[in-house]
Amino acid sequence: MGDKAHTHTGAAGGVAVADRPSAVRNVVLVGHSGSGKTTLVEALALTAGAVNRAGRVEDGGTVSDYDEIEHRQHRSVQLSLVPLEWGGCKINLLDTPGYADFVGELRAGLRAADAALFVVSAAQDAQSVPATTRAVWDECAAVGMPRAIVVTHLDTARTSFETMTDICGRIFGGADPDAVLPLYLPVRGPEAADGHARATGLVGLLSQRIFDYSTGERRTGAPAAGQLPLIEAARARLIEGIIAESEDETLMDRYLGGADIAVGTLTGDLEKAVARGVFHPVLAAAPAPPDGRQGLGTVELLELITGGFPSPLERAAPAVTTPGGTPRAGISCDPGGPLVAEVVKTASDPYVGRLSLVRVFSGTLRPDETVCVSGHGTEDERIGALSSPFGKRQRVLPRCVAGDLACVAKLSSAETGDTLSAKDEPLLMVPWTMPEPLLPLAVEAHGKADEDRLSHGLARLVAEDPTMRLEQNQDTRQVVLWCLGEAHADVALDRLRNRYGVRVDTVPYRVPLRETFGDPAAGRGRHVKQSGGHGQFAICEIDVEPLPPGSGIEFVDRVVGGSVPRQFVPSVEKGVRTQAAQGVTAGFPLVDIRVTLHDGKAHSVDSSDAAFQTAGALALREAAAAAVLSLLEPVAELRVTVPDEYVGPVMSDLTGRRGRVVGTEQASRGRTSVRAEVPELEIGRYAVELRSVSHGTGRFSRSYARHEAMPGPLAEKLRIRDANGA
């Protein structure tokens, strides 16, 4: 791994079919937006021979041909799979978006991978490493996923690989910074006009060999006499770090006793420590020059992936049950075992239609076989063509063995997170956790032609992206698409317009307000019409009084003497309840009242069910006109988790939103959870605004608590707005 002196030339544009799990490496790339993940993938593809120097595969596609939205918005918005071949292994590189709004794509990549490459830019400092990147590192640590770090942007002026390595040791190493150490140090050429010396090669700390990339082709040589003393301290620290994680307990004693540990022994122990997830090497990488084929550090990185990262055989599969919930043991990465595969991503391709990216955990997936799709439903489906993607191109595969990934065409019922299994032995994988979308986007069809396509387009959106949630709000009669942030919402609108041909208008999100009586009142409903022939006659008298919050509508019959015939009392109640649901002033539902029917009049011929329904509604409206009404707003219970240094700003911000902080507690080391009750009118954009207050480090959850009275001036302002249709 790493210090090996050979190179590899891949077959341009060709990726072999994996015939055994041991020859597969699934690696997810993690890093903030702009860290250079996609550029790194392109550099690795060039070194592996999957693309030519122009960045194109044999049939004309490019590694960057992922999504039309990415080209328009100039950022990655979805998980992309790039398969390569190196050293007899098939490497599935899973390139994830770095922006926080697309963390769902990142989590899908983590689910499909067996190891992670964290990409950091040498141009940033410790404070600019996003909290989301640190959180993902902790998630990987919790499950023992192997991790390595790649430092990019070494050509930027005033950057230092050594400084960035120290930062990574502090941030990712935590209590054990010696578990995060470099395997190589950059060799820099002469200073350029800006005073910055470009990295032209690497020196291996174990082999003490120079790997020169200055010509665009990796060349190996011996270091100059003056270079060895410069790496002695870093080499000694690396050796001690490897020995500290070695399974050979005698190795440390031998080393401290002055014994010379063979490079082969150290390399073997390094590979084992990386595969176990206890040691995390730091490497440097840069794209190839315009006339070169190999970028700086790309060979070393490919050798780390094939030699140090585990195969799927070394990773346990997620928990598996029957569709009824009975645990199913014995599932392993065996091509001959029962079929268990999972849809980790769903997308639409303009040429082949719906595509499902599938990770096979057990068994072998073959085209044209019928499988059971379990998860959002249970349905048998016939597998279409299997393919291996490269940008927008799809190469046909004859099969996909356990441990590998493939795209499946036209799985009409499968959604992200669903399980594919044998139809005679249906199984279900426990799904991975997804963040809750908390930013509402209210939409409506732009025109009549868009109304028919809107529901279909929205259904496709949420099927492809489980971090979006669709709501048909019965109180406000709005169609609401819940997203993770503004960029997430922009992508949703872009896909509706350009992928599904649906034009939509965004409208202000309406919080479901309600009204109640502030004091008792009485009302009389009189519905009398005579226009020749059969007329309408109904009179009823009611008393209305407020009830405690959450009581709903209570109807009491206290009619005596038959002034309202028994058969028409339910009609009055129906009219009252219908009017209460429609509202009595600005259209807000009326709640928490007791309506008592105590008198009325009827006609032996002209009274009817419809007449008394109308009279009941009129009586409630008259009572409301005579009473003081209170406008009720929904209050949410928020739980905001932030680093300790942001607790003060977060609490101040919540108070400024008419919120009440009800408690704080320690969430984890260095993080505090703040509990507060805040009116929902004040937190419509809190998913965006919390990022600003906490510098991107905060997260929150929300749940409905209750409705409570709104302050008078604000209530009056909202009544006027809604009465005017604003």
Side-chain angles (χ1 to χ4, degrees):
M1 178 176 70
D3 279 356
K4 299 172 184 176
H6 68 271
T7 59
H8 175 92
T9 302
V15 176
V17 178
D19 57 1
R20 62 190 188 283
S22 61
V24 177
R25 301 292 185 273
N26 298 313
V27 182
V28 60
L29 280 78
V30 180
H32 72 286
S33 183
S35 61
K37 296 185 301 298
T38 300
T39 301
L40 177 61
V41 169
E42 293 171 345
L44 293 173
L46 178 61
T47 296
V51 297
N52 58 31
R53 293 184 182 181
R56 306 192 72 82
V57 296
E58 280 185 335
D59 51 7
T62 72
V63 70
S64 298
D65 285 339
Y66 298 140
D67 190 287
E68 67 279 3
I69 298 177
E70 295 180 330
H71 290 291
R72 286 195 292 271
Q73 300 193 3
H74 305 289
R75 61 184 168 196
S76 296
V77 301
Q78 66 175 8
L79 174 71
S80 300
L81 171 62
V82 178
L84 309 174
E85 184 184 0
W86 185 268
C89 290
K90 180 185 179 184
I91 302 173
N92 290 315
L93 296 177
L94 294 151
D95 185 13
T96 63
Y99 198 66
D101 280 14
F102 308 107
V103 66
E105 303 286 323
L106 169 60
R107 291 189 181 275
L110 291 170
R111 178 71 159 205
D114 302 306
L117 280 177
F118 282 74
V119 183
V120 298
S121 170
Q124 67 188 34
D125 55 26
Q127 285 70 37
S128 61
V129 176
T132 51
T133 303
R134 305 183 197 188
V136 174
W137 181 276
D138 292 339
E139 287 183 28
C140 294
V143 298
M145 177 178 279
R147 286 147 285 154
I149 300 166
V150 183
V151 179
T152 59
H153 298 159
L154 291 173
D155 291 343
T156 305
R158 295 181 296 280
T159 57
S160 170
F161 174 80
E162 292 77 9
T163 299
M164 196 66 234
T165 299
D166 290 341
I167 290 173
C168 290
R170 295 197 306 272
I171 292 177
F172 300 127
D176 187 14
D178 284 341
V180 181
L181 295 172
L183 300 185
Y184 308 86
L185 293 180
V187 175
R188 297 192 176 273
E191 288 189 1
D194 60 0
H196 179 67
R198 188 173 67 88
T200 59
L202 301 170
V203 55
L205 294 181
L206 292 183
S207 66
Q208 301 185 87
R209 301 286 290 173
I210 295 290
F211 304 101
D212 183 13
Y213 284 88
S214 60
T215 64
E217 296 286 339
R218 183 180 189 253
R219 303 179 187 277
T220 306
Q227 291 178 312
L228 288 178
L230 300 178
I231 68 171
E232 286 181 358
R235 185 174 192 270
R237 189 182 179 192
L238 174 62
I239 291 174
E240 291 173 7
I242 294 172
I243 292 175
E245 303 296 344
S246 174
E247 297 175 335
D248 184 352
E249 297 179 356
T250 69
L251 203 59
M252 181 62 77
D253 292 335
R254 288 162 49 199
Y255 177 72
L256 294 177
D260 187 19
I261 310 300
V263 172
T265 300
L266 292 171
T267 301
D269 282 344
L270 172 62
E271 292 177 347
K272 294 176 183 176
V274 171
R276 296 197 333 265
V278 297
F279 187 85
H280 316 292
V282 184
L283 297 90
D291 57 348
R293 194 184 66 82
Q294 293 176 333
L296 176 73
T298 53
V299 172
E300 288 74 20
L301 187 51
L302 289 167
E303 289 176 349
L304 168 68
I305 292 171
T306 56
F309 282 168
S311 73
L313 292 170
E314 301 169 68
R315 301 288 297 167
V320 178
T321 69
T322 65
T326 303
R328 173 64 160 86
I331 299 298
S332 62
C333 188
D334 178 7
L339 177 64
V340 181
E342 188 171 36
V343 179
V344 296
K345 179 176 176 56
T346 309
S348 296
D349 185 276
Y351 302 104
V352 299
R354 195 170 189 176
L355 278 176
S356 302
L357 178 60
V358 172
R359 161 77 190 255
V360 181
F361 287 92
S362 174
T364 300
L365 188 64
R366 294 181 173 85
D368 299 324
E369 67 178 345
T370 301
V371 299
C372 176
V373 180
S374 305
H376 292 85
T378 302
E379 186 173 338
D380 289 348
E381 274 211 60
R382 182 171 172 270
I383 293 292
L386 299 182
S387 60
S388 181
F390 200 92
K392 290 184 177 179
R393 304 289 178 169
Q394 299 289 331
R395 299 183 179 122
V396 176
L397 295 177
R399 63 188 175 278
C400 183
V401 300
D404 202 3
L405 291 100
C407 286
V408 182
K410 299 177 182 178
L411 278 178
S412 59
S413 67
E415 298 182 20
T416 301
D418 284 353
T419 303
L420 310 183
S421 55
K423 66 176 183 177
D424 55 351
E425 188 182 1
L427 297 170
L428 180 65
M429 302 194 80
V430 175
W432 66 93
T433 57
M434 283 289 189
E436 179 71 14
L438 295 169
L439 181 69
L441 178 69
V443 298
E444 56 185 33
H446 179 74
K448 186 67 176 178
D450 301 299
E451 291 180 0
D452 297 335
R453 295 193 295 265
L454 179 59
S455 60
H456 175 72
L458 290 172
R460 291 287 297 273
L461 270 182
V462 297
E464 293 180 9
D465 187 350
T467 60
M468 289 183 183
R469 178 168 58 87
L470 183 62
E471 176 192 8
Q472 303 274 354
N473 194 298
Q474 298 302 314
D475 289 331
T476 62
R477 296 178 289 278
Q478 282 189 318
V479 177
V480 183
L481 190 64
W482 289 85
C483 305
L484 293 177
E486 288 181 313
H488 199 207
D490 289 343
V491 167
L493 295 174
D494 193 307
R495 285 179 174 159
L496 281 173
R497 181 173 55 254
N498 295 294
R499 181 178 292 179
Y500 303 120
V502 184
R503 294 179 304 161
V504 298
D505 297 323
T506 60
V507 295
Y509 170 67
R510 298 185 63 178
V511 169
L513 303 175
R514 299 172 184 171
E515 283 185 311
T516 191
F517 275 54
D519 52 8
R524 185 173 188 264
R526 184 178 186 275
H527 183 61
V528 178
K529 289 187 176 182
Q530 188 67 45
S531 56
H534 190 66
Q536 300 179 49
F537 187 97
I539 299 175
C540 64
E541 296 182 7
I542 62 172
D543 291 327
V544 184
E545 56 187 312
L547 291 178
S551 300
I553 302 290
E554 183 180 327
F555 186 85
V556 179
D557 173 19
R558 288 187 180 167
V559 175
V560 295
S563 57
V564 176
R566 306 309 308 165
Q567 69 268 28
F568 294 134
V569 171
S571 303
V572 176
E573 180 179 0
K574 184 175 181 180
V576 166
R577 291 186 179 276
T578 300
Q579 185 64 60
Q582 294 173 352
V584 291
T585 54
F588 303 125
L590 194 62
V591 296
D592 301 335
I593 56 172
R594 178 185 291 122
V595 178
T596 302
L597 174 65
H598 61 82
D599 201 359
K601 292 182 180 180
H603 189 277
S604 59
V605 176
D606 293 340
S607 291
S608 64
D609 169 68
F612 271 99
Q613 284 190 45
T614 302
L618 291 171
L620 184 63
R621 291 211 297 266
E622 182 176 290
V628 175
L629 297 184
S630 295
L631 192 60
L632 306 178
E633 61 180 336
V635 175
E637 181 176 331
L638 262 62
R639 184 178 291 270
V640 186
T641 304
V642 291
D644 293 342
E645 59 265 32
Y646 295 114
V647 171
V650 164
M651 292 175 65
S652 297
D653 178 71
L654 291 172
T655 302
R657 297 173 185 273
R658 300 191 286 124
R660 295 184 295 273
V661 176
V662 297
T664 62
E665 58 189 46
Q666 201 69 26
S668 60
R669 184 172 60 89
R671 294 180 70 85
T672 297
S673 180
V674 179
R675 291 183 296 111
E677 293 180 345
V678 188
E680 289 192 13
L681 280 169
E682 307 291 342
I683 57 172
R685 290 178 50 80
Y686 194 62
V688 175
E689 291 154 349
L690 176 61
R691 291 180 186 171
S692 176
V693 174
S694 66
H695 291 204
T697 61
R699 64 178 185 273
F700 78 104
S701 61
R702 62 184 284 180
S703 60
Y704 171 76
R706 63 188 174 276
H707 272 71
E708 64 180 33
M710 181 186 296
L714 181 58
E716 186 61 27
K717 180 179 178 181
L718 286 176
R719 282 196 183 97
I720 295 173
R721 184 202 67 182
D722 285 80
N724 293 333

